[in-house]
C-alpha cells in the first residue's frame, strides 16, 4: 500500500501568502536569515574515526571528501523490498537514505532489522543514512512524534550502530516540525543532539529543517550555527528538503550558498522535480548547484510513494524508471554522472589517476521520431568503470545529454526529422574520464503521430472522504513506438469532477474529462508508463471510469 506523505506533496503545507513572501524576501535580502555567526570558524573538535565534518565538508575517515548522491527508500513501509538497495546501487548511487520508524506512528523497526539494513547497504557499497520518519510535521500533525522520542530510539540501537561510523549517518528525525510555530524547532534539535552524544554515539548526525523540511521561514538557516556549535564533536550536517517552495533558481542558489559561505555542512536530503498544483520545483538548478558546490543530494523517492510523479521506479522495478527517475539517474548532473563510491569500500582511491580506455563506437538502433537506442563497446579500467556520458556534437561543441552505468542507453525527447551526432565517454570512480569514442550519426524519423491503441490504463482511488477523493491514472505504452504527446479521455459514471491535477492538464465538460500531457509526462517510451494524479469531488457514489481513449483510440484497462 502506498503511504500518504504530506512531506513530499505538501498537502498540509500552505505556501506563504504574497505579503508574507515579500516580507521573507526582504528579510533574506537584509541578511536576517543568514546563518548565525556566519563568519565564525569551526572550533577544534574531537577526532572522528569515521564519516565526519571538517571545515564545513563531509569527509570519510581517511580524510577523503565524500559527496552523497543517492535516493530515499521507504523501507519501513515496504520491508520486503530488500532488492531495492542493489537496484539503486546498480544505477550508480553511492548513498541511500532509509526510512525507519521508532514505533510512535508506524511499526517499529527492530534492532535486528536495522542491523540487516546496514549489512545490505555495506554489501552493496552504499553509505547508509538512517532516519526516523515518525517526527514528520510535529506541532502541526497531531500524529507526529518528538525528536526526544526519536533520540531514545537511536540510543536503543547503540549496540547495532557501534562500529559503523564509517558507513552510517544518523538522521535524527524526518521534517521534525510543521508550519506551526517553527521557531520551536531549535531547542529540541539541540537537546536531541546532546542526548545522543551523551549516550556515546559518535556518528555524523543529520538534522532536518522545520516547515516540513523546507525552512521557508528561515528558522534553520538563522539558527544553524547555534545548533552546530551545540554538538561537542562537530560532526553534524544540516538537511534541507526542496519541493515547491524552491521554484526559482534564486531561491535555490541563495539558500545553498548561505550555508557554504558560512562553512556549515549541508545537503539536499529530499527533493522533487515534477510540477504539481503547488508549484514547479527547479530541480535543474538544485542538481547543478549541488554539483557546483560539492553538496550531496538524495532524491525522493525510489518507489512506493503515494504520489507516483515522485516514484523514480514504477513498482520497485529498476527497468521501469519514470521520467523523474530518468532525470535523476541519467540526466545532466544526475547520479550516474556525478556519484563517486566511498573509498571505504576500496574503490576510487585518491591515487587513481589512470583513465579508462575509450568506449567502442556507438551503434544506433530502434530509431523513431523522438527516440533512439545507442549501444557501444565497454571500456576497461585498472580499478573499474563506473559509468558513461553520452554527448551530442554540433558546431564544434559538445553538450552532455545523458549518462548511463551500462554500455547502452535509450535517448528520448528527440526532435522528429532531425540529424544528430553522438559520442560517448567512460569514467571511473576517481572521476578520470576516457578519450572520446568514435561518433555515430542518427536521423530521427518524421512525426507520424502517436498510435492510440497501443496503451493500457490503470485507474485506482488512493483515498476518499466525505465529498472528495484522491485517485491516480497509470498510462502504459504497450506498443512498438514511443508515445510523444498524448491526450487521454474518459467519463465519470457518478458525476465526479476533477479539482486539482498533477501530471496532466484537465478539461471537463459534464461527465467527460480530457487530460493533456504535462511537459514531463508527454513522452512514454516503449514499455514505459506515466501516472497522473488528482483530487476530485464526489457525491455518495464513486464508481471508477471503465473506458479510456488515447488520442481518440481505445486503450485496454486493468
Amino acid at each position: 500500500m502506498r503511504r500518504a506523505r504530506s512531506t513530499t506533496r505538501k498537502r498540509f503545507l500552505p505556501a506563504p501568502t504574497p505579503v508574507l513572501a515579500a516580507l521573507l524576501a526582504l528579510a533574506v535580502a537584509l541578511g536576517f536569515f543568514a546563518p548565525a555567526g556566519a563568519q565564525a570558524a569551526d572550533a577544534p573538535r574531537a577526532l572522528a574515526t569515521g564519516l565526519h565534518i571538517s571545515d564545513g565538508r563531509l569527509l570519510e575517515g581517511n580524510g577523503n571528501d565524500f559527496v552523497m548522491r543517492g535516493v530515499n527508500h521507504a523501507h519501513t513501509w515496504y520491508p520486503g523490498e530488500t532488492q531495492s538497495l542493489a537496484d539503486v546501487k546498480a544505477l550508480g548511487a553511492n548513498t541511500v537514505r532509509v526510512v525507519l520508524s521508532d514505533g510512535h506512528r508506524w511499526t517499529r523497526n527492530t534492532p535486528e532489522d536495522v542491523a540487516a539494513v546496514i549489512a545490505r547497504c555495506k554489501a552493496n557499497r552504499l553509505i547508509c543514512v538512517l532516519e526516523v520518519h515518525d517526527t514528520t510535521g510535529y506541532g502541526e500533525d497531531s500524529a507526529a512524534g518528538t525528536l526526544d522520542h526519536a533520540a531514545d530510539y537511536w540510543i536503543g540501537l547503540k549496540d547495532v550502530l557501534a562500529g559503523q561510523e564509517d558507513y552510517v549517518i544518523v538522521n535524527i528525525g524526518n521534517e521534525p516540525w510543521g508550519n506551526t510555530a517553527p521557531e520551536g524547532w531549535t531547542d529540541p534539535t539541540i537537546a536531541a543532539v546532546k542526548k545522543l552524544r551523551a549516550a556515546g554515539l559518535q556518528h555524523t548526525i543529520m538534522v532536518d529543517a522545520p516547515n516540513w523540511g523546507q525552512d521557508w521561514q528561515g528558522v534553520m538557516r538563522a539558527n544553524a550555527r547555534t545548533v552546530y556549535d551545540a554538538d561537542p564533536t562537530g560532526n553534524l550536517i544540516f538537511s534541507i528538503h526542496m519541493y515547491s517552495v524552491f521554484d526559482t533558481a534564486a531561491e535555490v542558489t541563495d539558500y545553498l550558498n548561505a550555508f557554504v559561505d558560512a562553512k556549515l555542512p549541508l545537503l539536499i536530503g529530499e527533493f522533487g522535480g515534477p510540477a504539481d498544483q503547488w508549484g514547479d520545483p527547479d530541480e535543474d538548478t538544485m542538481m547543478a548547484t549541488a554539483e557546483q558546490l560539492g553538496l550531496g543530494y538524495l532524491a525522493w523517492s525510489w518507489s512506493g510513494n503515494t504520489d507516483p510523479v515522485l516514484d523514480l521506479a514504477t513498482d520497485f522495478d529498476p527497468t521501469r524508471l519514470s521520467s523523474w527517475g530518468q532525470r535523476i539517474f541519467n540526466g545532466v548532473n544526475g547520479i550516474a554522472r556525478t556519484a563517486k563510491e566511498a573509498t571505504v569500500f576500496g574503490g576510487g582511491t585518491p591515487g587513481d589517476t589512470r583513465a579508462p580506455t575509450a568506449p567502442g563506437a556507438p551503434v544506433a538502433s530502434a530509431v523513431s521520431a523522438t527516440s533512439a537506442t545507442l549501444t557501444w563497446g565497454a571500456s576497461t579500467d585498472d580499478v573499474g568503470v563506473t559509468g558513461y556520458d553520452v554527448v551530442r556534437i554540433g558546431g564544434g561543441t559538445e553538450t552532455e545529454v545523458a549518462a548511463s552505468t551500462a554500455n547502452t542507453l535509450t535517448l528520448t525527447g528527440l526532435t522528429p526529422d532531425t540529424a544528430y551526432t553522438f559520442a560517448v565517454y567512460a569514467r571511473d570512480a576517481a572521476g578520470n574520464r576516457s578519450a572520446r569514442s568514435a561518433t555515430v550519426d542518427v536521423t530521427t524519423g518524421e512525426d507520424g503521430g502517436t498510435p492510440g491503441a497501443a496503451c493500457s490504463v490503470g485507474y485506482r482511488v488512493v483515498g476518499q472522504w466525505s465529498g472528495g477523493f484522491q485517485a491516480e491514472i497509470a498510462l502504459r505504452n504497450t506498443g512498438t513506438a514511443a508515445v510523444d504527446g498524448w491526450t487521454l479521455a474518459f467519463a465519470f459514471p457518478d458525476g465526479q469532477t476533477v479539482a486539482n491535477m498533477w501530471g496532466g492538464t484537465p478539461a471537463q465538460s459534464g461527465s467527460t474529462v480530457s487530460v493533456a500531457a504535462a511537459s514531463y509526462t508527454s513522452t512514454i517510451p516503449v514499455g514505459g508508463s506515466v501516472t497522473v494524479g488528482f483530487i476530485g469531488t464526489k457525491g455518495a457514489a464513486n464508481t471508477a471510469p471503465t473506458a479510456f481513449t488515447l488520442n481518440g483510440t481505445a486503450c485496454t484497462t486493468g
Side-chain angles (χ1 to χ4, degrees):
M1 181 176 71
R2 296 178 188 269
R3 297 283 179 176
R5 277 188 39 87
S6 56
T7 173
T8 59
R9 307 310 293 179
K10 302 199 290 89
R11 292 195 174 90
F12 305 106
L13 281 70
T17 64
V19 172
L20 181 55
L23 291 173
L24 288 170
L26 178 61
V28 169
L30 294 175
F32 294 152
F33 289 158
Q39 303 306 316
D42 291 345
R45 307 292 180 128
L47 182 65
T49 58
L51 288 162
H52 63 283
I53 303 299
S54 177
D55 201 28
R57 302 292 304 170
L58 177 64
L59 306 181
E60 294 188 67
N62 63 2
N64 192 59
D65 197 72
F66 182 70
V67 179
M68 287 181 270
R69 288 283 187 269
V71 304
N72 289 263
H73 172 52
H75 171 74
T76 198
W77 304 312
Y78 302 93
E81 297 294 342
T82 57
Q83 177 62 29
S84 294
L85 299 186
D87 293 337
V88 166
K89 176 63 178 181
L91 289 164
N94 64 19
T95 306
V96 63
R97 180 172 179 256
V98 180
V99 177
L100 300 176
S101 172
D102 63 8
H104 176 84
R105 188 168 185 176
W106 295 287
T107 302
R108 176 178 174 271
N109 292 95
T110 65
E112 294 77 14
D113 181 53
V114 176
V117 167
I118 295 172
R120 283 192 292 269
C121 283
K122 292 168 68 175
N124 287 290
R125 305 166 74 90
L126 290 164
I127 295 300
C128 200
V129 178
L130 302 176
E131 61 104 341
V132 163
H133 214 75
D134 307 67
T135 57
T136 305
Y138 180 80
E140 186 172 356
D141 189 338
S142 60
T146 65
L147 280 171
D148 186 64
H149 189 271
D152 287 339
Y153 175 72
W154 295 118
I155 293 169
L157 292 172
K158 183 178 177 181
D159 290 344
V160 171
L161 298 173
Q164 305 299 331
E165 291 85 357
D166 278 314
Y167 308 96
V168 173
I169 294 173
V170 175
N171 190 178
I172 306 177
N174 182 70
E175 301 176 0
W177 213 276
N179 289 330
T180 302
E183 64 276 6
W185 166 91
T186 305
D187 288 343
T189 300
I190 290 173
V193 170
K194 288 184 174 180
K195 190 172 190 176
L196 293 180
R197 294 308 187 204
L201 270 73
Q202 297 297 311
H203 305 71
T204 292
I205 290 176
M206 184 182 294
V207 297
D208 283 9
N211 295 126
W212 301 86
Q214 298 201 78
D215 201 31
W216 60 266
Q217 289 176 285
V219 171
M220 185 172 82
R221 181 170 172 172
N223 293 280
R225 176 61 65 183
T226 300
V227 174
Y228 182 81
D229 288 344
D231 180 1
T233 74
N235 296 318
L236 184 146
I237 187 168
F238 297 94
S239 175
I240 181 68
H241 292 184
M242 289 187 162
Y243 293 101
S244 300
V245 166
F246 292 90
D247 57 359
T248 69
E251 289 166 328
V252 173
T253 57
D254 176 70
Y255 197 95
L256 299 181
N257 275 290
F259 279 77
V260 172
D261 291 345
K263 292 189 176 180
L264 287 167
L266 179 74
L267 86 155
I268 306 173
E270 287 186 20
F271 69 107
D276 57 31
Q277 64 266 44
W278 294 280
D280 187 1
D282 188 355
E283 73 279 10
D284 290 338
T285 298
M286 296 175 201
M287 296 169 71
T289 306
E291 178 65 8
Q292 175 194 354
L293 299 176
L295 302 181
Y297 66 67
L298 304 172
W300 186 273
S301 68
W302 176 239
S303 199
N305 192 50
T306 295
D307 189 336
V309 171
L310 291 177
D311 273 2
L312 298 162
T314 302
D315 295 329
F316 297 93
D317 185 348
T319 68
R320 298 170 60 196
L321 292 182
S322 65
S323 55
W324 174 227
Q326 291 287 358
R327 173 71 187 91
I328 288 298
F329 285 106
N330 300 321
V332 176
N333 296 311
I335 287 173
R337 174 66 184 90
T338 65
K340 296 181 181 180
E341 186 178 89
T343 59
V344 70
F345 297 115
T349 58
D352 179 11
T353 59
R354 182 179 298 178
T357 61
V363 176
S365 62
V367 179
S368 70
T370 59
S371 65
T373 297
L374 301 183
T375 305
W376 54 89
S379 298
T380 59
D381 185 68
D382 57 335
V383 175
V385 174
T386 58
Y388 298 91
D389 303 322
V390 177
V391 296
R392 181 185 179 183
I393 301 170
T397 63
E398 294 182 357
T399 303
E400 184 179 331
V401 294
S404 175
T405 55
N407 61 325
T408 185
L409 179 70
T410 298
L411 301 172
T412 60
L414 304 180
T415 303
D417 197 22
T418 301
Y420 292 88
T421 299
F422 297 110
V424 184
Y425 290 92
R427 56 189 146 72
D428 62 20
N432 300 309
R433 204 182 200 196
S434 73
R436 196 176 77 188
S437 73
T439 61
V440 61
D441 294 326
V442 177
T443 300
T444 52
E446 296 182 0
D447 187 359
T450 298
C455 63
S456 66
V457 173
Y459 178 98
R460 76 184 188 100
V461 173
V462 175
Q464 56 185 328
W465 52 92
S466 178
F469 67 104
Q470 179 182 341
E472 63 182 33
I473 305 170
L475 174 59
R476 186 170 180 81
N477 178 5
T478 59
T480 59
V483 172
D484 188 19
W486 51 264
T487 299
L488 184 71
F490 60 92
F492 281 123
D494 298 319
Q496 302 99 315
T497 61
V498 176
N500 294 295
M501 178 174 283
W502 50 95
T505 303
Q508 185 165 355
S509 176
S511 63
T512 302
V513 179
S514 175
V515 180
S519 60
Y520 57 89
T521 60
S522 62
T523 300
I524 314 176
V526 174
S529 63
V530 296
T531 307
V532 175
F534 67 91
I535 303 295
T537 62
K538 68 175 184 67
N542 190 21
T543 308
T546 57
F548 298 84
T549 62
L550 177 70
N551 294 343
T553 304
C555 298
T556 60
T557 58

